[in-house]
Amino acid sequence: MKKLLHDKYFWFYLGLFVAIAATTIEVVRGRNTNYFDYQDSTRMFWEGLSPYTLEYGQMHGLYILYIPVFFVLFAPVFMLPWWLGPFVWNIGNYCLFTLAIKSLPKPLDGRRLWIFAFLLSVLLQTIFCYQYNIVVAYIYLFAFILLERNKPFWAVLLIMISAMTKVYGVAELAILLCYPKFWRNMGYAVLCGVVLFLLPALNTSFDNVFALYGQVFDMISAHHNHADFPGILFARGLKPFLLPNYRLVQITVMCLMAIAFFWRHKRWGDFKFRVRALAALTGFMILFSDCPETHTYIIAFPFYAMSFWLQNKRTWYDWTLFWLLVVNFCILPTDVLCPAWLHNYIHETFWLDVYTFFLCWLRIIWFAIGPEEDTKGSGTFVTSRATATVLLLMLTLGIQAQPKAKPATRTFIYKGITFRMKLVQGGTFQMGALSGDTLADEDEFHRQVTLPDYYIGETEVTQELWEAVMGKNRSKQKGPKMPVDFVTYDMCLEFIAEVNRLSGLQFRLPTEAEWEYAARGGRASKGYLYAGSNDPDKVAHANDKTPEGGHQSVGLLAPNELGIYDMSGNVWEFCSDRYQRAPSVSPSSNFHVIRGGGYENDSRYCRVTNRYMYDQRRRFKYVGFRLAL
């Protein structure tokens, strides 16, 4: 058995067998969705259709962030038959990654097998998901190998292919500073970049194919998500400080790395330093990324593994971090080795995976820029003890600083009148007309919106609450449980100001985006046309569904997915935004947005995406509001 584990072909064929089996299973089940996205967007490109649209993102549940060069270079794969292409993609990428490890420079002789064995599980996770990250990983490796073999043109060409298909590949150009004739090599980069930039012009289906570049960079700049990804920006205990300022954090860390890199310019000629510099660079790209995933770490792990085996002396601390990486990235995320619920619990509770790699990354930087390495290992204990202390403190912070779960409902009582606010967990969504909604109007335009957590009224503000706070009820159709009507925008603000004075809290009107996100059901949304159902009879008091006319008491019909009532029908509801007919048109100076439809409207106007405007100075019997907090 020991001999078998030392056989390089054993590991290769084991991985190849798993890669073929995984690809077969996913193709048969029709779950190779990432590959379908590559295929669909590539075919759209060659048919003269842009995949860089909100409509595409809404239909497919993702945004295409690959630069148009991607559709040219990889078209031969994605134009293959539906059953063959996935195998060519996965097996080809597996073999190229394996070849890159096999070709690592001479100082790593005798270590390639262990590096490959360490990477195999993460590699197969990437294969199983049909990810592009594996391409970025082996391009980084091949470019580094070619630079070490003094073949800079081919190395730069590979770097630019990576950069011109998915932007973050360009970062490897920084390592050119460590090699002779930097400006000549940068000239190669410019030449290759220009040629690749012009490559999409081979497709004559577009009137102006270069307009796609602007579209994709608009998508990239707008692409951000507040979900908890396995990166340091999202880590327990650090997220409240880092994520709100993520661009500043990224730029600051990048500048500090650049300063350290130039400070140790005398080490640029050292092979170990170059490996560690790439390990620090790729580690930064993943750890501080806006939306990393577990399999994304395949880009950074090869250079970490190389750095690990190049150390003259590996201390107990280094081995501890190494085995923590194996457990947290190679074993726990692999479903056949660990139940998904256990992995999720360990990650979401302790964030050991992210903190461990963060400390590995700091360790690599220390070896790159710290004192010359002691071949006898003296002096490493102090460093290990200090960093172990940091690990203990960070884990303690991660466990103790977990934010308390926000209650799903907050209940308030004033003068015996009870009203409730429902928690809406934040997220990113496509605001605007739903897919396939033939009733949508022109002003239901699409835009991506990211919202933090907030609370919104379980019902509209009722007349009994209004009377308790303001003393006089001016609604036209009276009833204590009926929503307030016949109010102007300014009257709503006066009510809210008084509630805030009495409660010491900060209630307000919801924004239009908050209103629509809550009406759709937030993270629990099932994509209903109305707030809680596709059948307006179940959720909406509307003219064609409530023949007796007039609005009704709140909460009589079914709630939506979040337990919120009457967001379709009953009365229109003011939002804080001024009405804007289209993104290119300035917001109105007089009209505020109203949402939800009213009892005198047909049900088509009660759809969750329908919007209208109302003069802030006027009031009418079917306009009311609800609170946000």
Side-chain angles (χ1 to χ4, degrees), residues 557-577:
L557 299 179
N560 75 350
E561 298 92 322
L562 296 177
I564 304 172
Y565 295 86
D566 300 312
M567 296 199 83
S568 288
N570 224 8
V571 293
W572 289 90
E573 300 175 21
F574 270 117
C575 295
S576 60
D577 308 61

Side-chain angles (χ1 to χ4, degrees), residues 357-376:
F357 187 70
F358 179 65
L359 289 174
C360 290
W361 179 71
L362 293 177
R363 182 73 163 164
I364 290 167
I365 293 176
W366 169 257
F367 278 116
I369 66 173
E372 293 290 344
E373 194 173 359
D374 187 346
T375 57
K376 296 181 180 179

Side-chain angles (χ1 to χ4, degrees), residues 223-411:
H223 178 66
H224 183 62
N225 195 316
H226 285 270
D228 285 341
F229 291 97
I232 202 67
L233 297 175
F234 305 87
R236 288 285 184 268
L238 299 180
K239 179 179 177 179
F241 311 105
L242 300 184
L243 191 59
N245 308 294
Y246 70 101
R247 287 293 182 229
L248 178 62
V249 172
Q250 291 168 338
I251 293 171
T252 301
V253 175
M254 193 184 305
C255 291
L256 291 174
M257 289 175 60
I259 292 170
F261 181 74
F262 282 99
W263 177 47
R264 289 301 191 185
H265 66 278
K266 292 183 179 179
R267 298 185 183 179
W268 289 359
D270 179 25
F271 176 78
K272 289 184 179 181
F273 178 83
R274 294 193 293 271
V275 171
R276 290 163 179 164
L278 279 171
L281 179 65
T282 53
F284 165 78
M285 286 165 46
I286 309 306
L287 278 169
F288 292 87
S289 171
D290 299 1
C291 47
E293 298 177 270
T294 300
H295 49 69
T296 312
Y297 283 78
I298 192 66
I299 299 172
F301 278 172
F303 293 101
Y304 161 76
M306 292 159 63
S307 301
F308 177 80
W309 289 111
L310 284 171
Q311 290 175 211
N312 291 335
K313 182 74 173 180
R314 288 173 288 280
T315 66
W316 65 268
Y317 171 73
D318 297 309
W319 281 110
T320 300
L321 290 179
F322 175 84
W323 287 112
L324 281 173
L325 284 184
V326 171
V327 170
N328 282 282
F329 285 95
C330 303
I331 296 176
L332 294 182
T334 306
D335 290 347
V336 296
L337 301 177
C338 173
W341 65 266
L342 179 59
H343 168 237
N344 292 336
Y345 172 78
I346 293 174
H347 165 69
E348 293 171 6
T349 304
F350 304 105
W351 283 71
L352 268 174
D353 46 358
V354 175
Y355 281 130
T356 299
F357 187 70
F358 179 65
L359 289 174
C360 290
W361 179 71
L362 293 177
R363 182 73 163 164
I364 290 167
I365 293 176
W366 169 257
F367 278 116
I369 66 173
E372 293 290 344
E373 194 173 359
D374 187 346
T375 57
K376 296 181 180 179
S378 61
T380 58
F381 177 73
V382 174
T383 307
S384 303
R385 184 172 57 183
T387 46
T389 303
V390 172
L391 174 60
L392 180 61
L393 289 173
M394 293 179 74
L395 289 177
T396 303
L397 180 64
I399 296 169
Q400 294 183 351
Q402 293 182 54
K404 293 182 180 179
K406 298 177 181 177
T409 303
R410 294 185 66 178
T411 301

